[in-house]
Amino acid sequence: LDTMKKRLGPNATLAVRSSAEEEDGDFSFAGQFETVLNVPCTPAAVEAAYKEVVASLFQENAISYQRQLGYAPGRLMMAVGCLAMLDAKASGVIYTAAGGKDRSRLAISAAWGLGKGVVDGLTDADLYTVAKGEELTILERRIGAKAKMVVNLGEGTEIVATPANLREL
């Protein structure tokens, strides 16, 4: 943590998030586990966030999803990473296999604000389906309503109305 504080500054905050062992394999675990945002760069705060992320392995929705994929509860392993917290203007998720298994296309889901709005389904995000190849080609584009967005408060986050001028962009 001391090294991160030196690099990021004394008031730096972190995003503490999961990385399940199968997360980038055959199955997507996007949105299944907790990510704790704006964690102060202190041992006590990081420890508390770490415990919250690991405990999310045992939330009802995560257990149900694990069972659907054939994992017995408590068998899936998880690492927890600490990343520098950014005040993103827009963010989202890229699925490298669109529709779950189609590796010839990728899907991008994005909206204004922090990624929590997209991952947790708090907003109707834009969705792009893109053909892979030497040049990427947008095959489908659906512009979401994006009525809400998650913003950084420095200590925590807040769900706010997306400004009207950004909703159709």
Side-chain angles (χ1 to χ4, degrees), residues 73-85:
R75 299 295 304 200
L76 189 66
M77 305 298 283
M78 177 190 285
V80 176
C82 296
L83 307 162
M85 183 70 202

Side-chain angles (χ1 to χ4, degrees), residues 7-8 20 25 41 45 63 98 109 121 126 135 138 141 145 148 150 152:
R7 286 187 179 171
L8 303 172
C41 205
I63 291 288
S109 183
D126 297 338
E135 290 190 33
I138 296 175
R141 176 185 331 216
K148 298 177 184 176
V150 178
N152 188 344

Side-chain angles (χ1 to χ4, degrees), residues 93-99 102 105-109 127-130 132:
V93 177
I94 296 176
Y95 298 94
T96 57
D102 185 352
R105 301 178 304 153
L106 57 89
I108 302 168
S109 183
L127 179 63
Y128 299 89
T129 303
V130 179
K132 296 179 184 178

Side-chain angles (χ1 to χ4, degrees), residues 5-16:
K5 272 188 185 179
K6 285 179 187 172
R7 286 187 179 171
L8 303 172
N11 298 322
T13 59
L14 305 172
V16 179

